[in-house]
Amino acid sequence: MVKNKQSIGVFDSGYGGLTVFKSIARKLPQYNYIYLGDNARTPYGDHSFETIYQYTLECVEWLFAQGCPLVILACNTASAKALRSIQQNILPFKYPDRRVLGVIRPTAEIVGNYTHKKSVGVMGTRGTVNSESYLMEINKFFPEIKVAQQSCPMWVPLIENDEHRNPGADYFVKKYLDELLAKDDEIDCIVLACTHYPLLVPKIKEMLPPDINLLAQDDIVADSLALYLENHPEIESRISKEGHQQFFTSGDPRVFDINASTFFDNEVVSSRVDLIHH
Ligand code: DGL
């Protein structure tokens, strides 16, 4: 652990947030980062609100304890189920000088640029879909846009188990796409509202009509973080700028390092963190 350094914390339930971190690190390589994957308890998608909130808060507090003034929840499920409560009920009282940002708002803010027919499909975990966070956020920015949602509970397990490139994955990719498109035949933009899903893009594209825009969040979140740091010099000035990247997992670091290479460009060397006894 690099002591007395302040890093941007990036959190996901597992590997998915690495797709976002990859774009962030490419766009903003100068900052120090700590990535935390809660692999021991992934996937979060089917857990209850209380469980997701508790797990996410533990991870955020661990990142705070490492000195992160800013944490990005690079996970839609955590953003949908825990972000608002942490921002409203925890930060002002316990950590008034820290910030936590999610991935839903930056995505909702720009979705209107990608649909002509004003019909958007959102694909995510059950937790994200049931929270209706995308319906609410997109409605705030683009009340004229219709949103149809599809939960895809098999996609994260396929990706976490490195089965997403194999023919076995075709069945579930097609099933959820067909189910979504049957809900509204005007859909001309699909939001991949889970940070794991960029790994399925090649398969999804094979099965999708070419006139449908596919929106993954990696670059969207990186752009929005760059803008946030520009507009918040009080946070930006606290972050160390040595380009250090550290990786932590609540799971097995050897397994993490092997699987992480699927999600991240560079070699990853992680350390284990015991969140439960922290
Ligand atoms: N990658 C996460 C998301 O964006 C969640 C996956 C999960 O743990 O179910 O929703």
Side-chain angles (χ1 to χ4, degrees), residues 12-14 16-17 42-46 74-78 103 125 128 156 193-196 217:
D12 181 52
S13 62
T42 200
Y44 279 15
D46 285 332
C75 173
N76 287 268
T77 311
V103 290
T125 65
T128 300
V156 169
C194 172
T195 54
H196 282 70
Q217 296 176 300

Side-chain angles (χ1 to χ4, degrees), residues 43-115:
Y44 279 15
D46 285 332
H47 289 319
S48 69
F49 170 86
E50 288 75 17
T51 304
I52 295 169
Y53 173 69
Q54 182 205 321
Y55 288 178
T56 305
L57 182 58
E58 279 169 14
C59 292
V60 166
E61 293 203 302
W62 184 84
L63 285 163
F64 283 168
Q66 313 314 306
C68 297
L70 173 66
V71 171
I72 312 295
L73 301 185
C75 173
N76 287 268
T77 311
S79 299
K81 298 281 195 177
L83 179 60
R84 186 177 304 205
S85 303
I86 292 176
Q87 284 174 335
Q88 293 180 352
N89 305 332
I90 303 292
L91 297 187
F93 309 103
K94 254 180 118 173
Y95 308 99
D97 60 343
R98 316 278 182 124
R99 296 291 175 268
V100 182
L101 304 174
V103 290
I104 297 179
R105 175 174 282 245
T107 312
E109 268 174 7
I110 53 119
V111 83
N113 304 337
Y114 296 88
T115 172

Side-chain angles (χ1 to χ4, degrees), residues 76 107 121-124 134 155 177 190-201 204 214-217:
N76 287 268
T107 312
V122 171
M123 309 189 85
Y134 274 91
W155 283 8
L177 281 174
I190 291 181
V191 178
L192 296 181
C194 172
T195 54
H196 282 70
Y197 297 173
L199 276 84
L200 281 172
V201 164
I204 295 173
L214 200 56
L215 211 55
Q217 296 176 300

Side-chain angles (χ1 to χ4, degrees), residues 8-278:
I8 298 175
V10 182
F11 161 72
D12 181 52
S13 62
Y15 303 108
L18 290 168
T19 62
V20 170
F21 183 31
K22 181 164 84 174
S23 289
I24 291 178
R26 208 185 286 142
K27 190 170 176 80
L28 304 166
Q30 67 273 36
Y31 297 115
N32 287 13
Y33 295 96
I34 298 181
Y35 183 89
L36 173 61
D38 192 6
N39 298 77
R41 305 187 288 196
T42 200
Y44 279 15
D46 285 332
H47 289 319
S48 69
F49 170 86
E50 288 75 17
T51 304
I52 295 169
Y53 173 69
Q54 182 205 321
Y55 288 178
T56 305
L57 182 58
E58 279 169 14
C59 292
V60 166
E61 293 203 302
W62 184 84
L63 285 163
F64 283 168
Q66 313 314 306
C68 297
L70 173 66
V71 171
I72 312 295
L73 301 185
C75 173
N76 287 268
T77 311
S79 299
K81 298 281 195 177
L83 179 60
R84 186 177 304 205
S85 303
I86 292 176
Q87 284 174 335
Q88 293 180 352
N89 305 332
I90 303 292
L91 297 187
F93 309 103
K94 254 180 118 173
Y95 308 99
D97 60 343
R98 316 278 182 124
R99 296 291 175 268
V100 182
L101 304 174
V103 290
I104 297 179
R105 175 174 282 245
T107 312
E109 268 174 7
I110 53 119
V111 83
N113 304 337
Y114 296 88
T115 172
H116 293 299
K117 297 185 184 162
K118 309 282 175 226
S119 278
V120 168
V122 171
M123 309 189 85
T125 65
R126 280 202 186 102
T128 300
V129 165
N130 293 343
S131 74
E132 303 200 337
S133 297
Y134 274 91
L135 301 185
M136 292 183 280
E137 288 293 328
I138 293 175
N139 189 261
K140 267 188 219 156
F141 297 105
F142 305 102
E144 71 284 7
I145 289 181
K146 272 189 294 164
V147 181
Q149 298 198 99
Q150 178 66 41
S151 59
C152 312
M154 289 301 290
W155 283 8
V156 169
L158 284 169
I159 295 165
E160 289 271 322
N161 290 292
D162 203 17
E163 290 290 342
H164 54 283
R165 291 186 215 87
N166 296 337
D170 292 5
Y171 173 81
F172 284 108
V173 171
K174 184 163 175 1
K175 175 181 162 67
Y176 298 145
L177 281 174
D178 287 350
E179 285 176 16
L180 174 69
L181 296 175
K183 290 174 186 165
D184 177 359
D185 57 13
E186 296 272 279
I187 290 173
D188 62 355
C189 171
I190 291 181
V191 178
L192 296 181
C194 172
T195 54
H196 282 70
Y197 297 173
L199 276 84
L200 281 172
V201 164
K203 267 208 196 300
I204 295 173
K205 280 198 168 148
E206 275 169 30
M207 294 178 193
L208 206 62
D211 54 330
I212 297 184
N213 285 321
L214 200 56
L215 211 55
Q217 296 176 300
D218 32 12
D219 290 339
I220 297 174
V221 175
D223 289 347
S224 136
L225 175 61
L227 200 64
Y228 178 88
L229 292 171
E230 239 176 80
N231 292 333
H232 292 85
E234 75 287 1
I235 299 284
E236 198 278 342
S237 59
R238 288 162 61 191
I239 299 163
S240 306
K241 297 168 189 73
E242 295 146 332
H244 287 159
Q245 297 177 4
Q246 295 176 277
F247 296 85
F248 293 87
T249 174
S250 58
D252 181 339
R254 284 163 308 181
V255 177
F256 185 88
D257 295 353
I258 294 166
N259 291 338
S261 62
T262 319
F263 295 78
F264 204 69
D265 280 342
N266 304 324
E267 198 191 323
V268 168
V269 180
S270 65
S271 308
R272 184 164 186 282
V273 53
D274 189 353
L275 290 166
I276 293 138
H277 301 109
H278 168 66

